[in-house]
């Protein structure tokens, strides 16, 4: 992976973590806030779930991403 791609992924991870730190966010909210393509954001979210940084929760209102240190 080239350096600029790694930097973009790091920036996107930082954006995601700052968004979900205080409150749950929908995948749509995260994708809209990131300047990456939606499939790239979803791939990154999957990696972050596997590494334990975030969790995905399903509620009656929809599917939300939360920090692994927060509850829903």
């Amino acid at each position: 992976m080239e350096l600029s791609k790694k930097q973009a992924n790091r920036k996107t991870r930082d954006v995601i973590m700052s968004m979900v730190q205080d409150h749950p966010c929908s995948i749509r909210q995260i994708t809209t806030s990131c300047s990456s393509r939606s499939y790239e954001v979803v791939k990154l979210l999957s990696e972050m779930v596997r590494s334990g940084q975030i969790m995905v929760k399903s509620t009656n209102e929809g599917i939300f991403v939360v920090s692994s240190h927060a509850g829903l």
Side-chain angles (χ1 to χ4, degrees), residues 25-38:
C25 295
S26 70
I27 293 172
R28 178 172 289 189
Q29 288 172 316
I30 293 169
T31 302
T32 301
S33 294
C34 295
S35 57
S36 301
R37 295 189 172 136
S38 60

Side-chain angles (χ1 to χ4, degrees), residues 14 20 22 26 30 50 55 57 69:
D14 291 345
V20 302
D22 296 326
S26 70
I30 293 169
R50 283 193 299 274
M55 297 183 296
K57 300 285 187 171
H69 305 290

Side-chain angles (χ1 to χ4, degrees), residues 53-71:
Q53 294 175 299
I54 60 171
M55 297 183 296
V56 176
K57 300 285 187 171
S58 178
T59 69
N60 292 336
E61 290 82 29
I63 298 174
F64 294 90
V65 178
V66 297
S67 169
S68 61
H69 305 290

